[in-house]
Amino acid sequence: MRRRTVTSGGLDEVLDSLASAPPAAREEAAPVQTPAREQQGMRSEFEFELPRGYVDDEGQVHRRGSMRLATARDELRPQIDLRVKENPAYLSVVLLSQVITQLGTITDVHAGVVERMYATDVAFLQDFYRRINSEGHTHAAVTCPLCHGSFEVDLSGGRLGES
């Protein structure tokens, strides 16, 4: 088996060449199946509400948004991004900008939008990303510090006391 070295920009070429392969070659590589989300009704997009909210250039605050599940391509692409190579901490900015599908009325969420978010909102989104991609849900088990009762909360943006 030959190995192919992928350099910056090369990942898209490799993925695109696999996608444009002749149908016979694709069928040998991966059998045709119904996507898992159709088979099991898997949820692939999750709504959230930011703790502070993103303030756009006109001063409008955007708090509600949605994030889709990440693909392998989403996690690989930042690795070849020059901004990430120069500053590894930038990885989360690039990754979040790829999986956030909407933020208020903004449908084109790019790295510049994530850069201008408050740190508390970015931390919230990083935790939200981890929860939906690792655990597959937005619920967290918590314990009341007063009565020590255990219960579950939904981190996707509901207000306290709402169900």
Side-chain angles (χ1 to χ4, degrees):
M1 182 165 116
R2 283 182 37 192
R3 286 188 177 195
R4 180 172 178 177
T5 304
V6 179
T7 59
S8 64
L11 178 61
D12 287 332
E13 293 171 9
V14 171
L15 294 173
D16 291 339
S17 69
L18 290 174
S20 64
R26 277 190 303 221
E27 289 173 11
E28 291 172 10
V32 177
Q33 295 179 343
T34 306
R37 69 174 162 249
E38 291 177 18
Q39 291 175 353
Q40 302 169 350
M42 185 177 85
R43 204 170 149 199
S44 62
E45 196 159 318
F46 298 84
E47 293 182 359
F48 61 82
E49 185 173 333
L50 296 174
R52 294 197 186 269
Y54 169 72
V55 182
D56 65 15
D57 294 334
E58 287 91 40
Q60 185 178 1
V61 178
H62 304 273
R63 293 188 69 199
R64 292 185 182 270
S66 57
M67 180 185 293
R68 66 174 172 77
L69 291 175
T71 63
R73 187 178 199 168
D74 292 326
E75 294 206 351
L76 291 171
R77 183 174 277 149
Q79 300 295 329
I80 60 171
D81 191 297
L82 294 177
R83 298 169 294 188
V84 174
K85 286 184 177 184
E86 290 175 10
N87 182 3
Y90 201 75
L91 182 132
S92 63
V93 171
V94 175
L95 187 55
L96 288 173
S97 70
Q98 292 181 153
V99 296
I100 298 173
T101 57
Q102 184 174 351
L103 184 58
T105 58
I106 303 169
T107 55
D108 179 27
V109 181
H110 50 82
V113 170
V114 179
E115 283 176 350
R116 293 190 308 261
M117 287 182 179
Y118 293 110
T120 53
D121 289 337
V122 173
F124 170 84
L125 289 169
Q126 288 170 331
D127 184 56
F128 191 75
Y129 174 92
R130 183 186 54 77
R131 286 187 182 279
I132 67 172
N133 285 288
S134 298
E135 301 165 14
H137 58 79
T138 60
H139 296 98
V142 295
T143 303
C144 175
L146 300 175
C147 70
H148 302 290
S150 296
F151 56 96
E152 198 172 81
V153 294
D154 186 355
L155 300 174
S156 65
R159 298 268 188 224
L160 291 175
E162 291 182 354
S163 48

